Amino acid sequence: MEFHINAYSHFLMLVKYKLDVYMKNFLISLSRPSKQLLVITCDSFAIGISIFIAYSVRLDQLYFPVEWDYLVYALALATAIPIFIAMGLYREVFRYTGKYALLTILRTIFIYVVTFTLSISFLRYFNVFEVHKVVVPRSLGILQGIILLFLVVFSRLIARYWLLSEQNFYKKNKDRKIIIYGAGSSGMQIGLALQQAGMTSLVAYIDDNRNLRHKLINGVRIYGVD
């Protein structure tokens, strides 16, 4: 009985592994426009979810949109997606998301919050919301922007972690060991890229600068030329 349970457990783990590898390779093999469309779709869901959460938090109850409430959701989408595209949010490669990408997201969300808040104020000034009896709290734009920032950053980090996890098909060549000659800024950038890609194993840096000997760069030791 125990043997059958263990065999069944191993079978499920194998199926999960195969599906994981298949999904990763399928996503990585998609064309660039298809990947961008997929990310835009995910961000659109994040925008909708963030508005729902912001409404619910602000009004202290679950607030589901009815009738003209969808105007606020449409306004958020129409404001956010063009700004995200213009700011280059969909030019980033998720597997190599780093500090620069996160700063870009921060700047983009800030511009979106300012634009969305001004748009709400503009429509409020012309009584568009009042005519259609739409409830729009004054702090909605800022609160929704904070939630959206968390969702967008979280989605990028999760995607990066998943695509670079140990089960990644592209890590099958990690037995290839690499040594980089030069521990300067260029060498460090190459090393960081190799470590993030996970396609090879970076084992050492070599540099003729004696002051760098035996120091570490992201856990990799620097050796002298000799």
Side-chain angles (χ1 to χ4, degrees):
M1 182 67 177
E2 184 178 350
F3 170 77
H4 288 297
I5 293 175
N6 289 334
Y8 181 69
S9 177
H10 285 299
F11 173 74
L12 289 180
M13 290 177 62
L14 179 62
V15 171
K16 180 179 179 296
Y17 171 75
K18 292 294 185 180
L19 287 174
D20 188 69
V21 171
Y22 173 78
M23 285 300 299
K24 287 173 183 175
N25 292 320
F26 172 74
L27 290 175
I28 292 173
S29 64
L30 287 175
S31 64
R32 190 66 184 157
S34 298
K35 291 178 182 176
Q36 291 173 332
L37 181 60
L38 178 62
V39 180
I40 290 174
T41 302
C42 292
D43 284 348
S44 299
F45 277 108
I47 292 166
I49 292 171
S50 62
I51 292 180
F52 172 76
I53 295 175
Y55 260 117
S56 300
V57 171
R58 180 63 180 82
L59 301 178
D60 201 24
Q61 64 178 0
L62 291 178
Y63 190 84
F64 296 94
V66 293
E67 297 181 353
W68 283 93
D69 288 344
Y70 287 102
L71 176 63
V72 180
Y73 287 74
L75 178 63
L77 281 171
T79 304
I81 298 302
I83 291 175
F84 286 11
I85 293 174
M87 292 295 292
L89 225 59
Y90 303 120
R91 292 197 296 267
E92 296 290 340
V93 180
F94 276 22
R95 282 173 288 167
Y96 311 122
T97 298
K99 183 169 65 175
Y100 175 80
L102 295 179
L103 290 174
T104 300
I105 293 173
L106 186 61
R107 287 194 296 265
T108 302
I109 296 296
F110 175 77
I111 293 173
Y112 160 72
V113 167
V114 172
T115 307
F116 184 51
T117 303
L118 289 175
S119 299
I120 290 176
S121 300
F122 178 80
L123 293 177
R124 189 193 298 275
Y125 179 78
F126 287 99
N127 299 320
V128 174
F129 295 127
E130 286 78 2
V131 170
H132 298 291
K133 298 180 180 179
V134 180
V135 178
V136 185
R138 294 184 181 277
S139 59
L140 179 69
I142 297 175
L143 183 58
Q144 186 253 342
I146 294 173
I147 298 170
L148 181 60
L149 174 63
F150 172 79
L151 292 177
V152 171
V153 171
F154 183 73
S155 67
R156 266 60 172 177
L157 293 178
I158 287 294
R160 180 182 184 277
Y161 174 80
W162 181 61
L163 291 171
L164 290 178
S165 65
E166 289 298 327
Q167 292 181 344
N168 196 328
F169 174 80
Y170 289 100
K171 291 197 172 186
K172 65 181 182 180
N173 292 324
K174 200 164 182 180
D175 57 337
R176 295 178 57 193
K177 294 179 172 56
I178 299 294
I179 294 176
I180 295 179
Y181 187 94
S185 59
S186 298
M188 286 190 289
Q189 290 175 11
I190 295 172
L192 180 60
L194 288 173
Q195 287 177 314
Q196 289 181 333
M199 298 177 65
T200 55
S201 179
L202 177 60
V203 296
Y205 287 92
I206 296 177
D207 201 286
D208 53 7
N209 187 345
R210 293 181 175 273
N211 295 326
L212 295 177
R213 286 190 181 186
H214 307 304
K215 291 185 178 180
L216 300 176
I217 300 177
N218 292 326
V220 181
R221 187 173 296 277
I222 304 172
Y223 294 92
V225 176
D226 55 340

PDB file of all heavy atoms in Angstrom, residues 178-215:
ATOM      1  N   ILE A 178      31.672  28.851 -15.944  1.00  0.00           N
ATOM      2  CA  ILE A 178      32.192  30.043 -16.607  1.00  0.00           C
ATOM      3  C   ILE A 178      33.111  30.810 -15.652  1.00  0.00           C
ATOM      4  O   ILE A 178      32.824  30.942 -14.460  1.00  0.00           O
ATOM      5  CB  ILE A 178      31.034  30.967 -17.050  1.00  0.00           C
ATOM      6  CG1 ILE A 178      30.118  30.258 -18.042  1.00  0.00           C
ATOM      7  CG2 ILE A 178      31.572  32.264 -17.652  1.00  0.00           C
ATOM      8  CD1 ILE A 178      30.788  29.936 -19.362  1.00  0.00           C
ATOM      9  N   ILE A 179      34.223  31.316 -16.196  1.00  0.00           N
ATOM     10  CA  ILE A 179      35.104  32.239 -15.478  1.00  0.00           C
ATOM     11  C   ILE A 179      35.162  33.535 -16.280  1.00  0.00           C
ATOM     12  O   ILE A 179      35.345  33.514 -17.496  1.00  0.00           O
ATOM     13  CB  ILE A 179      36.532  31.657 -15.330  1.00  0.00           C
ATOM     14  CG1 ILE A 179      36.503  30.418 -14.431  1.00  0.00           C
ATOM     15  CG2 ILE A 179      37.477  32.699 -14.748  1.00  0.00           C
ATOM     16  CD1 ILE A 179      37.849  29.731 -14.310  1.00  0.00           C
ATOM     17  N   ILE A 180      35.002  34.651 -15.593  1.00  0.00           N
ATOM     18  CA  ILE A 180      35.029  35.958 -16.258  1.00  0.00           C
ATOM     19  C   ILE A 180      36.356  36.643 -15.967  1.00  0.00           C
ATOM     20  O   ILE A 180      36.756  36.773 -14.809  1.00  0.00           O
ATOM     21  CB  ILE A 180      33.860  36.844 -15.784  1.00  0.00           C
ATOM     22  CG1 ILE A 180      32.534  36.225 -16.212  1.00  0.00           C
ATOM     23  CG2 ILE A 180      33.987  38.262 -16.341  1.00  0.00           C
ATOM     24  CD1 ILE A 180      31.325  37.018 -15.761  1.00  0.00           C
ATOM     25  N   TYR A 181      37.021  37.062 -17.037  1.00  0.00           N
ATOM     26  CA  TYR A 181      38.268  37.808 -16.880  1.00  0.00           C
ATOM     27  C   TYR A 181      37.921  39.286 -16.786  1.00  0.00           C
ATOM     28  O   TYR A 181      37.412  39.881 -17.747  1.00  0.00           O
ATOM     29  CB  TYR A 181      39.194  37.555 -18.064  1.00  0.00           C
ATOM     30  CG  TYR A 181      40.569  38.162 -17.888  1.00  0.00           C
ATOM     31  CD1 TYR A 181      41.617  37.411 -17.363  1.00  0.00           C
ATOM     32  CD2 TYR A 181      40.806  39.490 -18.223  1.00  0.00           C
ATOM     33  CE1 TYR A 181      42.871  37.961 -17.187  1.00  0.00           C
ATOM     34  CE2 TYR A 181      42.059  40.056 -18.051  1.00  0.00           C
ATOM     35  CZ  TYR A 181      43.091  39.289 -17.531  1.00  0.00           C
ATOM     36  OH  TYR A 181      44.335  39.842 -17.351  1.00  0.00           O
ATOM     37  N   GLY A 182      38.190  39.879 -15.633  1.00  0.00           N
ATOM     38  CA  GLY A 182      37.863  41.287 -15.404  1.00  0.00           C
ATOM     39  C   GLY A 182      36.726  41.428 -14.408  1.00  0.00           C
ATOM     40  O   GLY A 182      35.612  40.968 -14.664  1.00  0.00           O
ATOM     41  N   ALA A 183      37.026  42.049 -13.270  1.00  0.00           N
ATOM     42  CA  ALA A 183      36.020  42.217 -12.220  1.00  0.00           C
ATOM     43  C   ALA A 183      35.564  43.664 -12.115  1.00  0.00           C
ATOM     44  O   ALA A 183      35.106  44.107 -11.062  1.00  0.00           O
ATOM     45  CB  ALA A 183      36.570  41.732 -10.880  1.00  0.00           C
ATOM     46  N   GLY A 184      35.716  44.415 -13.208  1.00  0.00           N
ATOM     47  CA  GLY A 184      35.240  45.803 -13.225  1.00  0.00           C
ATOM     48  C   GLY A 184      33.746  45.855 -13.455  1.00  0.00           C
ATOM     49  O   GLY A 184      33.033  44.857 -13.332  1.00  0.00           O
ATOM     50  N   SER A 185      33.243  47.035 -13.818  1.00  0.00           N
ATOM     51  CA  SER A 185      31.802  47.212 -13.982  1.00  0.00           C
ATOM     52  C   SER A 185      31.244  46.342 -15.108  1.00  0.00           C
ATOM     53  O   SER A 185      30.171  45.748 -14.961  1.00  0.00           O
ATOM     54  CB  SER A 185      31.479  48.684 -14.255  1.00  0.00           C
ATOM     55  OG  SER A 185      32.150  49.133 -15.424  1.00  0.00           O
ATOM     56  N   SER A 186      31.990  46.237 -16.220  1.00  0.00           N
ATOM     57  CA  SER A 186      31.517  45.402 -17.332  1.00  0.00           C
ATOM     58  C   SER A 186      31.464  43.940 -16.933  1.00  0.00           C
ATOM     59  O   SER A 186      30.496  43.234 -17.234  1.00  0.00           O
ATOM     60  CB  SER A 186      32.436  45.582 -18.546  1.00  0.00           C
ATOM     61  OG  SER A 186      32.414  46.913 -18.995  1.00  0.00           O
ATOM     62  N   GLY A 187      32.509  43.468 -16.257  1.00  0.00           N
ATOM     63  CA  GLY A 187      32.539  42.082 -15.814  1.00  0.00           C
ATOM     64  C   GLY A 187      31.417  41.772 -14.838  1.00  0.00           C
ATOM     65  O   GLY A 187      30.802  40.702 -14.908  1.00  0.00           O
ATOM     66  N   MET A 188      31.147  42.720 -13.927  1.00  0.00           N
ATOM     67  CA  MET A 188      30.067  42.519 -12.954  1.00  0.00           C
ATOM     68  C   MET A 188      28.707  42.452 -13.644  1.00  0.00           C
ATOM     69  O   MET A 188      27.851  41.648 -13.275  1.00  0.00           O
ATOM     70  CB  MET A 188      30.086  43.629 -11.907  1.00  0.00           C
ATOM     71  CG  MET A 188      31.212  43.495 -10.893  1.00  0.00           C
ATOM     72  SD  MET A 188      31.045  44.654  -9.513  1.00  0.00           S
ATOM     73  CE  MET A 188      31.432  46.202 -10.335  1.00  0.00           C
ATOM     74  N   GLN A 189      28.500  43.294 -14.667  1.00  0.00           N
ATOM     75  CA  GLN A 189      27.233  43.281 -15.394  1.00  0.00           C
ATOM     76  C   GLN A 189      27.041  41.960 -16.129  1.00  0.00           C
ATOM     77  O   GLN A 189      25.941  41.386 -16.121  1.00  0.00           O
ATOM     78  CB  GLN A 189      27.182  44.451 -16.377  1.00  0.00           C
ATOM     79  CG  GLN A 189      27.063  45.816 -15.701  1.00  0.00           C
ATOM     80  CD  GLN A 189      27.143  46.956 -16.686  1.00  0.00           C
ATOM     81  OE1 GLN A 189      27.087  46.748 -17.895  1.00  0.00           O
ATOM     82  NE2 GLN A 189      27.282  48.172 -16.182  1.00  0.00           N
ATOM     83  N   ILE A 190      28.122  41.479 -16.749  1.00  0.00           N
ATOM     84  CA  ILE A 190      28.037  40.189 -17.438  1.00  0.00           C
ATOM     85  C   ILE A 190      27.751  39.074 -16.443  1.00  0.00           C
ATOM     86  O   ILE A 190      26.921  38.194 -16.682  1.00  0.00           O
ATOM     87  CB  ILE A 190      29.342  39.904 -18.208  1.00  0.00           C
ATOM     88  CG1 ILE A 190      29.529  40.920 -19.338  1.00  0.00           C
ATOM     89  CG2 ILE A 190      29.337  38.479 -18.773  1.00  0.00           C
ATOM     90  CD1 ILE A 190      30.872  40.841 -20.016  1.00  0.00           C
ATOM     91  N   GLY A 191      28.441  39.117 -15.307  1.00  0.00           N
ATOM     92  CA  GLY A 191      28.241  38.096 -14.287  1.00  0.00           C
ATOM     93  C   GLY A 191      26.826  38.085 -13.753  1.00  0.00           C
ATOM     94  O   GLY A 191      26.222  37.027 -13.565  1.00  0.00           O
ATOM     95  N   LEU A 192      26.276  39.284 -13.505  1.00  0.00           N
ATOM     96  CA  LEU A 192      24.915  39.389 -13.004  1.00  0.00           C
ATOM     97  C   LEU A 192      23.922  38.834 -14.023  1.00  0.00           C
ATOM     98  O   LEU A 192      22.980  38.118 -13.659  1.00  0.00           O
ATOM     99  CB  LEU A 192      24.585  40.844 -12.692  1.00  0.00           C
ATOM    100  CG  LEU A 192      23.168  41.122 -12.154  1.00  0.00           C
ATOM    101  CD1 LEU A 192      22.942  40.363 -10.849  1.00  0.00           C
ATOM    102  CD2 LEU A 192      22.954  42.609 -11.962  1.00  0.00           C
ATOM    103  N   ALA A 193      24.148  39.146 -15.303  1.00  0.00           N
ATOM    104  CA  ALA A 193      23.265  38.644 -16.353  1.00  0.00           C
ATOM    105  C   ALA A 193      23.308  37.118 -16.429  1.00  0.00           C
ATOM    106  O   ALA A 193      22.278  36.461 -16.574  1.00  0.00           O
ATOM    107  CB  ALA A 193      23.653  39.256 -17.701  1.00  0.00           C
ATOM    108  N   LEU A 194      24.512  36.546 -16.321  1.00  0.00           N
ATOM    109  CA  LEU A 194      24.648  35.094 -16.367  1.00  0.00           C
ATOM    110  C   LEU A 194      23.971  34.435 -15.173  1.00  0.00           C
ATOM    111  O   LEU A 194      23.310  33.396 -15.307  1.00  0.00           O
ATOM    112  CB  LEU A 194      26.132  34.704 -16.402  1.00  0.00           C
ATOM    113  CG  LEU A 194      26.884  34.981 -17.703  1.00  0.00           C
ATOM    114  CD1 LEU A 194      28.369  34.706 -17.529  1.00  0.00           C
ATOM    115  CD2 LEU A 194      26.328  34.109 -18.827  1.00  0.00           C
ATOM    116  N   GLN A 195      24.118  35.037 -14.001  1.00  0.00           N
ATOM    117  CA  GLN A 195      23.495  34.472 -12.805  1.00  0.00           C
ATOM    118  C   GLN A 195      21.979  34.548 -12.881  1.00  0.00           C
ATOM    119  O   GLN A 195      21.286  33.621 -12.477  1.00  0.00           O
ATOM    120  CB  GLN A 195      24.000  35.204 -11.551  1.00  0.00           C
ATOM    121  CG  GLN A 195      25.434  34.851 -11.178  1.00  0.00           C
ATOM    122  CD  GLN A 195      25.923  35.647  -9.974  1.00  0.00           C
ATOM    123  OE1 GLN A 195      25.744  36.849  -9.892  1.00  0.00           O
ATOM    124  NE2 GLN A 195      26.548  34.960  -9.032  1.00  0.00           N
ATOM    125  N   GLN A 196      21.470  35.654 -13.397  1.00  0.00           N
ATOM    126  CA  GLN A 196      20.021  35.789 -13.512  1.00  0.00           C
ATOM    127  C   GLN A 196      19.454  34.838 -14.554  1.00  0.00           C
ATOM    128  O   GLN A 196      18.385  34.271 -14.364  1.00  0.00           O
ATOM    129  CB  GLN A 196      19.657  37.231 -13.865  1.00  0.00           C
ATOM    130  CG  GLN A 196      19.868  38.208 -12.717  1.00  0.00           C
ATOM    131  CD  GLN A 196      19.473  39.624 -13.087  1.00  0.00           C
ATOM    132  OE1 GLN A 196      19.512  40.003 -14.251  1.00  0.00           O
ATOM    133  NE2 GLN A 196      19.102  40.413 -12.099  1.00  0.00           N
ATOM    134  N   ALA A 197      20.167  34.668 -15.669  1.00  0.00           N
ATOM    135  CA  ALA A 197      19.686  33.781 -16.720  1.00  0.00           C
ATOM    136  C   ALA A 197      19.709  32.327 -16.275  1.00  0.00           C
ATOM    137  O   ALA A 197      18.862  31.522 -16.660  1.00  0.00           O
ATOM    138  CB  ALA A 197      20.520  33.960 -17.989  1.00  0.00           C
ATOM    139  N   GLY A 198      20.689  31.971 -15.436  1.00  0.00           N
ATOM    140  CA  GLY A 198      20.764  30.613 -14.914  1.00  0.00           C
ATOM    141  C   GLY A 198      21.152  29.571 -15.947  1.00  0.00           C
ATOM    142  O   GLY A 198      20.949  28.386 -15.743  1.00  0.00           O
ATOM    143  N   MET A 199      21.690  29.991 -17.098  1.00  0.00           N
ATOM    144  CA  MET A 199      22.035  29.048 -18.154  1.00  0.00           C
ATOM    145  C   MET A 199      23.405  28.421 -17.925  1.00  0.00           C
ATOM    146  O   MET A 199      23.720  27.390 -18.499  1.00  0.00           O
ATOM    147  CB  MET A 199      21.994  29.756 -19.514  1.00  0.00           C
ATOM    148  CG  MET A 199      20.615  30.294 -19.884  1.00  0.00           C
ATOM    149  SD  MET A 199      20.611  31.204 -21.440  1.00  0.00           S
ATOM    150  CE  MET A 199      21.020  29.907 -22.605  1.00  0.00           C
ATOM    151  N   THR A 200      24.239  29.058 -17.108  1.00  0.00           N
ATOM    152  CA  THR A 200      25.574  28.549 -16.814  1.00  0.00           C
ATOM    153  C   THR A 200      25.869  28.771 -15.335  1.00  0.00           C
ATOM    154  O   THR A 200      25.112  29.436 -14.638  1.00  0.00           O
ATOM    155  CB  THR A 200      26.643  29.277 -17.657  1.00  0.00           C
ATOM    156  OG1 THR A 200      26.525  30.681 -17.441  1.00  0.00           O
ATOM    157  CG2 THR A 200      26.485  28.978 -19.144  1.00  0.00           C
ATOM    158  N   SER A 201      26.974  28.227 -14.882  1.00  0.00           N
ATOM    159  CA  SER A 201      27.383  28.394 -13.497  1.00  0.00           C
ATOM    160  C   SER A 201      28.638  29.255 -13.447  1.00  0.00           C
ATOM    161  O   SER A 201      29.703  28.858 -13.922  1.00  0.00           O
ATOM    162  CB  SER A 201      27.648  27.023 -12.864  1.00  0.00           C
ATOM    163  OG  SER A 201      28.073  27.172 -11.532  1.00  0.00           O
ATOM    164  N   LEU A 202      28.516  30.464 -12.896  1.00  0.00           N
ATOM    165  CA  LEU A 202      29.653  31.375 -12.771  1.00  0.00           C
ATOM    166  C   LEU A 202      30.454  30.977 -11.533  1.00  0.00           C
ATOM    167  O   LEU A 202      29.949  31.046 -10.413  1.00  0.00           O
ATOM    168  CB  LEU A 202      29.161  32.819 -12.652  1.00  0.00           C
ATOM    169  CG  LEU A 202      30.231  33.891 -12.441  1.00  0.00           C
ATOM    170  CD1 LEU A 202      31.217  33.897 -13.602  1.00  0.00           C
ATOM    171  CD2 LEU A 202      29.573  35.267 -12.293  1.00  0.00           C
ATOM    172  N   VAL A 203      31.699  30.559 -11.734  1.00  0.00           N
ATOM    173  CA  VAL A 203      32.485  30.029 -10.611  1.00  0.00           C
ATOM    174  C   VAL A 203      33.553  30.984 -10.115  1.00  0.00           C
ATOM    175  O   VAL A 203      34.013  30.865  -8.972  1.00  0.00           O
ATOM    176  CB  VAL A 203      33.140  28.682 -11.000  1.00  0.00           C
ATOM    177  CG1 VAL A 203      32.070  27.640 -11.270  1.00  0.00           C
ATOM    178  CG2 VAL A 203      34.043  28.842 -12.217  1.00  0.00           C
ATOM    179  N   ALA A 204      33.986  31.944 -10.948  1.00  0.00           N
ATOM    180  CA  ALA A 204      35.066  32.832 -10.497  1.00  0.00           C
ATOM    181  C   ALA A 204      35.230  34.032 -11.419  1.00  0.00           C
ATOM    182  O   ALA A 204      34.824  34.011 -12.583  1.00  0.00           O
ATOM    183  CB  ALA A 204      36.379  32.067 -10.435  1.00  0.00           C
ATOM    184  N   TYR A 205      35.821  35.089 -10.848  1.00  0.00           N
ATOM    185  CA  TYR A 205      36.313  36.241 -11.613  1.00  0.00           C
ATOM    186  C   TYR A 205      37.835  36.208 -11.551  1.00  0.00           C
ATOM    187  O   TYR A 205      38.422  35.744 -10.562  1.00  0.00           O
ATOM    188  CB  TYR A 205      35.848  37.562 -11.018  1.00  0.00           C
ATOM    189  CG  TYR A 205      34.380  37.877 -11.224  1.00  0.00           C
ATOM    190  CD1 TYR A 205      33.438  37.510 -10.276  1.00  0.00           C
ATOM    191  CD2 TYR A 205      33.954  38.574 -12.351  1.00  0.00           C
ATOM    192  CE1 TYR A 205      32.094  37.817 -10.437  1.00  0.00           C
ATOM    193  CE2 TYR A 205      32.617  38.884 -12.525  1.00  0.00           C
ATOM    194  CZ  TYR A 205      31.694  38.501 -11.570  1.00  0.00           C
ATOM    195  OH  TYR A 205      30.365  38.805 -11.737  1.00  0.00           O
ATOM    196  N   ILE A 206      38.489  36.716 -12.594  1.00  0.00           N
ATOM    197  CA  ILE A 206      39.947  36.877 -12.596  1.00  0.00           C
ATOM    198  C   ILE A 206      40.251  38.332 -12.908  1.00  0.00           C
ATOM    199  O   ILE A 206      39.689  38.908 -13.843  1.00  0.00           O
ATOM    200  CB  ILE A 206      40.612  35.964 -13.647  1.00  0.00           C
ATOM    201  CG1 ILE A 206      40.387  34.497 -13.290  1.00  0.00           C
ATOM    202  CG2 ILE A 206      42.109  36.255 -13.741  1.00  0.00           C
ATOM    203  CD1 ILE A 206      40.958  33.540 -14.315  1.00  0.00           C
ATOM    204  N   ASP A 207      41.139  38.942 -12.107  1.00  0.00           N
ATOM    205  CA  ASP A 207      41.478  40.340 -12.330  1.00  0.00           C
ATOM    206  C   ASP A 207      42.926  40.575 -11.891  1.00  0.00           C
ATOM    207  O   ASP A 207      43.408  39.971 -10.921  1.00  0.00           O
ATOM    208  CB  ASP A 207      40.537  41.264 -11.551  1.00  0.00           C
ATOM    209  CG  ASP A 207      40.511  42.668 -12.123  1.00  0.00           C
ATOM    210  OD1 ASP A 207      41.483  43.404 -11.919  1.00  0.00           O
ATOM    211  OD2 ASP A 207      39.515  43.016 -12.780  1.00  0.00           O
ATOM    212  N   ASP A 208      43.631  41.458 -12.624  1.00  0.00           N
ATOM    213  CA  ASP A 208      45.032  41.724 -12.290  1.00  0.00           C
ATOM    214  C   ASP A 208      45.189  42.790 -11.209  1.00  0.00           C
ATOM    215  O   ASP A 208      46.297  43.121 -10.806  1.00  0.00           O
ATOM    216  CB  ASP A 208      45.814  42.130 -13.543  1.00  0.00           C
ATOM    217  CG  ASP A 208      45.160  43.280 -14.292  1.00  0.00           C
ATOM    218  OD1 ASP A 208      44.173  43.849 -13.759  1.00  0.00           O
ATOM    219  OD2 ASP A 208      45.612  43.591 -15.410  1.00  0.00           O
ATOM    220  N   ASN A 209      44.069  43.335 -10.728  1.00  0.00           N
ATOM    221  CA  ASN A 209      44.105  44.308  -9.630  1.00  0.00           C
ATOM    222  C   ASN A 209      44.252  43.559  -8.310  1.00  0.00           C
ATOM    223  O   ASN A 209      43.341  42.859  -7.866  1.00  0.00           O
ATOM    224  CB  ASN A 209      42.822  45.142  -9.634  1.00  0.00           C
ATOM    225  CG  ASN A 209      42.868  46.272  -8.622  1.00  0.00           C
ATOM    226  OD1 ASN A 209      43.715  46.289  -7.721  1.00  0.00           O
ATOM    227  ND2 ASN A 209      41.955  47.221  -8.770  1.00  0.00           N
ATOM    228  N   ARG A 210      45.404  43.720  -7.660  1.00  0.00           N
ATOM    229  CA  ARG A 210      45.674  42.996  -6.422  1.00  0.00           C
ATOM    230  C   ARG A 210      44.711  43.377  -5.287  1.00  0.00           C
ATOM    231  O   ARG A 210      44.461  42.579  -4.383  1.00  0.00           O
ATOM    232  CB  ARG A 210      47.122  43.234  -5.971  1.00  0.00           C
ATOM    233  CG  ARG A 210      48.154  42.611  -6.909  1.00  0.00           C
ATOM    234  CD  ARG A 210      49.570  42.849  -6.403  1.00  0.00           C
ATOM    235  NE  ARG A 210      50.549  42.153  -7.245  1.00  0.00           N
ATOM    236  CZ  ARG A 210      50.919  40.893  -7.060  1.00  0.00           C
ATOM    237  NH1 ARG A 210      50.389  40.194  -6.058  1.00  0.00           N
ATOM    238  NH2 ARG A 210      51.811  40.323  -7.860  1.00  0.00           N
ATOM    239  N   ASN A 211      44.182  44.576  -5.340  1.00  0.00           N
ATOM    240  CA  ASN A 211      43.265  45.019  -4.286  1.00  0.00           C
ATOM    241  C   ASN A 211      41.926  44.294  -4.321  1.00  0.00           C
ATOM    242  O   ASN A 211      41.167  44.332  -3.350  1.00  0.00           O
ATOM    243  CB  ASN A 211      43.014  46.528  -4.392  1.00  0.00           C
ATOM    244  CG  ASN A 211      44.274  47.338  -4.139  1.00  0.00           C
ATOM    245  OD1 ASN A 211      45.114  46.950  -3.332  1.00  0.00           O
ATOM    246  ND2 ASN A 211      44.406  48.460  -4.848  1.00  0.00           N
ATOM    247  N   LEU A 212      41.628  43.657  -5.448  1.00  0.00           N
ATOM    248  CA  LEU A 212      40.350  42.960  -5.577  1.00  0.00           C
ATOM    249  C   LEU A 212      40.455  41.477  -5.231  1.00  0.00           C
ATOM    250  O   LEU A 212      39.415  40.808  -5.123  1.00  0.00           O
ATOM    251  CB  LEU A 212      39.811  43.106  -7.010  1.00  0.00           C
ATOM    252  CG  LEU A 212      39.433  44.523  -7.469  1.00  0.00           C
ATOM    253  CD1 LEU A 212      38.997  44.505  -8.922  1.00  0.00           C
ATOM    254  CD2 LEU A 212      38.325  45.090  -6.595  1.00  0.00           C
ATOM    255  N   ARG A 213      41.658  40.995  -5.048  1.00  0.00           N
ATOM    256  CA  ARG A 213      41.848  39.557  -4.814  1.00  0.00           C
ATOM    257  C   ARG A 213      41.092  39.078  -3.582  1.00  0.00           C
ATOM    258  O   ARG A 213      41.094  39.732  -2.536  1.00  0.00           O
ATOM    259  CB  ARG A 213      43.328  39.230  -4.663  1.00  0.00           C
ATOM    260  CG  ARG A 213      44.091  39.267  -5.975  1.00  0.00           C
ATOM    261  CD  ARG A 213      45.493  38.704  -5.812  1.00  0.00           C
ATOM    262  NE  ARG A 213      46.245  38.743  -7.056  1.00  0.00           N
ATOM    263  CZ  ARG A 213      47.448  38.205  -7.219  1.00  0.00           C
ATOM    264  NH1 ARG A 213      48.037  37.602  -6.194  1.00  0.00           N
ATOM    265  NH2 ARG A 213      48.053  38.265  -8.381  1.00  0.00           N
ATOM    266  N   HIS A 214      40.445  37.931  -3.726  1.00  0.00           N
ATOM    267  CA  HIS A 214      39.729  37.229  -2.653  1.00  0.00           C
ATOM    268  C   HIS A 214      38.469  37.955  -2.189  1.00  0.00           C
ATOM    269  O   HIS A 214      37.845  37.520  -1.219  1.00  0.00           O
ATOM    270  CB  HIS A 214      40.655  36.975  -1.455  1.00  0.00           C
ATOM    271  CG  HIS A 214      41.922  36.281  -1.816  1.00  0.00           C
ATOM    272  ND1 HIS A 214      41.946  35.062  -2.468  1.00  0.00           N
ATOM    273  CD2 HIS A 214      43.233  36.645  -1.657  1.00  0.00           C
ATOM    274  CE1 HIS A 214      43.205  34.698  -2.673  1.00  0.00           C
ATOM    275  NE2 HIS A 214      44.007  35.653  -2.203  1.00  0.00           N
ATOM    276  N   LYS A 215      38.106  39.030  -2.884  1.00  0.00           N
ATOM    277  CA  LYS A 215      36.826  39.665  -2.574  1.00  0.00           C
ATOM    278  C   LYS A 215      35.709  38.931  -3.330  1.00  0.00           C
ATOM    279  O   LYS A 215      35.980  38.099  -4.203  1.00  0.00           O
ATOM    280  CB  LYS A 215      36.857  41.147  -2.947  1.00  0.00           C
ATOM    281  CG  LYS A 215      37.787  41.961  -2.044  1.00  0.00           C
ATOM    282  CD  LYS A 215      37.699  43.449  -2.354  1.00  0.00           C
ATOM    283  CE  LYS A 215      38.604  44.248  -1.411  1.00  0.00           C
ATOM    284  NZ  LYS A 215      38.540  45.704  -1.675  1.00  0.00           N
TER     285      LYS A 215
END
